[in-house]
Amino acid sequence: MNAGQSGETTLEVFMFGGFSVKQDGRPISLGNNPTANALKMIEIIFLNNSQGISKEELLRDVFNGKNLSDKNNSFNNLLYQARHLLRDAGVEGTHYIENRRGKISVESGLSVSTDVDRFNLLCSKAELAGEEEKYRFFREAFDLYRGELLPDFITENWVLQERERLTAELARCVCYLTEAEKKRGDDDEVIRLYHRANEVDPDSRWQAGELEAWGRKGDYAGASAFFQETARYYLNEMQIPIPKNIRQVEEKLIAGEHPGMSPQDEMLLRRSAKLAGSGHKSMMAPYACPEECLGPVWQALVRNIERRGHILYILILQARTETLHGDALPAEIDEAIRKTLIDVLNTEDIYTRLAQGIYAVIPVNVRREDSLRLLRRMDERFRDLAGGESSFSGRIVRYDELPEFLETYAI
């Protein structure tokens, strides 16, 4: 047993880049099914262990908001299975999971140390530290962030919401560290930092900073190779134009007529411009459904699609816009969102405006597990169209969850 002064058993839990647990420095196995509801319950409790989580919130997150006929029975069955997973893994404890004052958490005597909590603590320490300590704390936090938060559940709301907060903290780490290395004149380290940041959070467009660093160090062949790799990611994999900030850096490098820049670069820029100017890939846009018709449309789709084994869902998009020249006018925000949806969605998809900056999308032929990529594509396009620090946040709901969502946001 790995015990501290209080005799607690300590579990070291890793959530960045995948879920794993160590006890006494040795890996332990919590079953063979990484998406089992009992394991999901354990992960949610671990993620929220510092403040606990209510039974209602826990059931909502485990079952994705699904209405349960007997919540108490569902909870008790899951609790029994989760405790057995921990016991069978050799975790030392008695009840493992307890309900204290309405909050579910691990039992007293069992200490859980997660990489997420350690990351948060290091970022908090960095904010209060002097320059030398600040760099060390941010660097330790950055090194902890090994990949996407809990990728087995990346499209579920309890992960999406926490991921949004964590990537904002990661961005602060990256900005501070890269600025510090620029001042030191170490562009090799700047490239390493940006490259790693892009691997763990490809949504944040760190490629522009890396491309600039290749140019500053005079390695134009390296800049060209990196740009081509980046361009193909957006054009081929994401099927969207190269983001504006990356294009601008590349265009400056090409305009400088540096040796080592490839003619292939200009061809990729022209291809991106053509894709950006061509609008939607079809003459027909996705269906703009009036809000009052969303219910009947949803029911018709459920009858025709879910009986074939496909699971239908709604992706709620909420725009966050902080333009460089003040807040955009509401009409400009809505127009940028509408253009984004027309450019990215397929003709069979459906979207509805719920309120200013908030839209509901029904991606008819996009599986739930692929919804994060769809959100990324829409986010990239919206950033280019709206400008500034604009972005989308996303949440997945069923139609019967919409009233609760609308009430929560006073829509």
Side-chain angles (χ1 to χ4, degrees):
M1 180 172 76
N2 183 16
Q5 293 180 349
S6 62
E8 289 184 334
T9 298
T10 299
L11 297 181
E12 191 176 8
V13 178
F14 304 91
M15 296 184 172
F16 290 126
F19 180 74
S20 62
V21 181
K22 288 183 178 180
Q23 181 179 233
D24 205 14
R26 293 189 299 271
I28 62 173
S29 172
L30 292 172
N32 298 319
N33 184 355
T35 59
N37 279 340
L39 182 57
K40 188 196 296 191
M41 181 187 211
I42 292 171
E43 294 181 28
I44 294 170
I45 291 171
F46 284 175
L47 186 62
N48 293 276
N49 196 57
S50 58
Q51 72 273 14
I53 184 171
S54 71
K55 184 170 82 172
E56 291 72 22
E57 291 172 318
L58 185 56
L59 286 172
R60 179 200 65 198
D61 290 345
V62 170
F63 292 101
N64 294 314
K66 179 182 177 183
N67 289 326
L68 302 172
S69 58
D70 189 337
K71 291 184 178 180
N72 285 331
N73 186 56
S74 298
F75 176 77
N76 290 332
N77 285 339
L78 268 183
L79 184 59
Y80 175 83
Q81 294 169 28
R83 283 171 170 163
H84 266 271
L85 279 178
L86 292 164
R87 183 175 294 116
D88 293 346
V91 176
E92 298 189 24
T94 306
H95 299 293
Y96 301 106
I97 297 167
E98 293 179 342
N99 187 340
R100 293 193 293 272
R101 298 178 182 176
K103 294 291 186 179
I104 311 296
S105 60
V106 300
E107 69 175 25
S108 54
L110 180 62
S111 174
V112 172
S113 172
T114 72
D115 53 356
V116 172
D117 284 340
R118 294 193 295 276
F119 174 83
N120 290 331
L121 179 60
L122 287 164
C123 289
S124 297
K125 285 183 174 181
E127 287 302 306
L128 302 174
E131 288 304 309
E132 187 173 335
E133 287 289 282
K134 187 187 290 284
Y135 184 94
R136 181 171 68 84
F137 287 138
F138 270 140
R139 187 58 189 251
E140 288 179 18
F142 178 78
D143 290 341
L144 275 177
Y145 210 114
R146 300 177 301 128
E148 290 276 19
L149 176 70
L150 297 171
D152 287 325
F153 299 110
I154 191 61
T155 61
E156 299 200 7
N157 290 321
W158 59 280
V159 175
L160 281 172
Q161 290 165 13
E162 183 65 6
R163 176 187 181 273
E164 187 176 333
R165 187 190 65 78
L166 289 169
T167 53
E169 288 294 312
L170 177 66
R172 291 199 303 132
C173 292
V174 174
C175 290
Y176 181 85
L177 294 172
T178 52
E179 284 302 314
E181 295 299 346
K182 284 179 193 175
K183 290 176 182 177
R184 296 175 184 174
D186 191 346
D187 278 311
D188 286 329
E189 186 61 20
V190 171
I191 289 170
R192 281 191 288 270
L193 286 165
Y194 275 132
H195 198 78
R196 169 108 188 289
N198 186 62
E199 287 177 341
V200 299
D201 182 22
D203 301 347
S204 295
R205 302 186 179 190
W206 302 117
Q207 301 100 323
E210 182 174 344
L211 190 59
E212 284 181 329
W214 282 106
R216 276 197 308 271
K217 66 178 288 195
D219 187 344
Y220 299 108
S224 178
F226 175 70
F227 172 73
Q228 290 181 33
E229 175 189 343
T230 301
R232 291 189 179 103
Y233 167 73
Y234 286 105
L235 296 172
N236 298 344
E237 192 170 335
M238 299 292 282
Q239 297 179 9
I240 57 174
I242 303 163
K244 185 177 180 180
N245 66 331
I246 301 171
R247 294 199 310 268
Q248 288 174 336
V249 175
E250 175 66 12
E251 286 163 356
K252 286 180 182 178
L253 291 174
I254 290 175
E257 298 183 353
H258 297 295
M261 300 302 290
S262 167
Q264 180 81 358
D265 298 4
E266 293 190 70
M267 186 195 76
L268 288 167
L269 283 173
R270 287 195 297 272
R271 182 178 160 199
S272 177
K274 184 178 180 181
L275 181 61
S278 65
H280 196 262
K281 46 193 164 291
S282 167
M283 293 299 290
M284 295 182 64
Y287 175 54
C289 175
E291 186 179 353
E292 63 271 17
C293 299
L294 188 61
V297 167
W298 171 268
Q299 296 302 331
L301 287 170
V302 166
R303 287 195 299 272
N304 288 284
I305 291 176
E306 293 204 344
R307 67 185 180 187
R308 300 200 299 266
H310 298 291
I311 303 299
L312 208 59
Y313 62 92
I314 296 174
L315 183 59
I316 302 291
L317 300 176
Q318 191 162 9
R320 297 189 304 274
T321 304
E322 300 172 14
T323 63
L324 297 176
H325 307 290
D327 291 339
L329 296 173
E332 293 172 344
I333 294 174
D334 271 344
E335 179 58 24
I337 297 172
R338 192 188 69 82
K339 183 68 165 61
T340 295
L341 299 178
I342 289 173
D343 284 356
V344 175
L345 294 177
N346 292 313
T347 55
E348 63 268 28
D349 296 333
I350 295 157
Y351 69 91
T352 297
R353 183 185 186 276
L354 299 177
Q356 170 57 41
I358 302 178
Y359 280 67
V361 173
I362 305 177
V364 175
N365 288 321
V366 178
R367 297 174 302 172
R368 183 183 175 119
E369 55 265 35
D370 294 330
S371 59
L372 183 63
R373 170 161 292 183
L374 175 64
L375 177 62
R376 284 175 172 167
R377 291 177 62 200
M378 290 189 287
D379 186 47
E380 290 287 355
R381 187 62 176 139
F382 178 64
R383 289 191 203 187
D384 270 352
L385 292 170
E389 298 299 319
S390 307
S391 63
F392 272 144
S393 63
R395 179 177 176 181
I396 296 171
V397 300
R398 298 272 299 177
Y399 180 74
D400 54 12
E401 296 175 285
L402 264 183
E404 180 184 349
F405 172 83
L406 299 178
E407 183 178 345
T408 300
Y409 287 89
I411 297 172

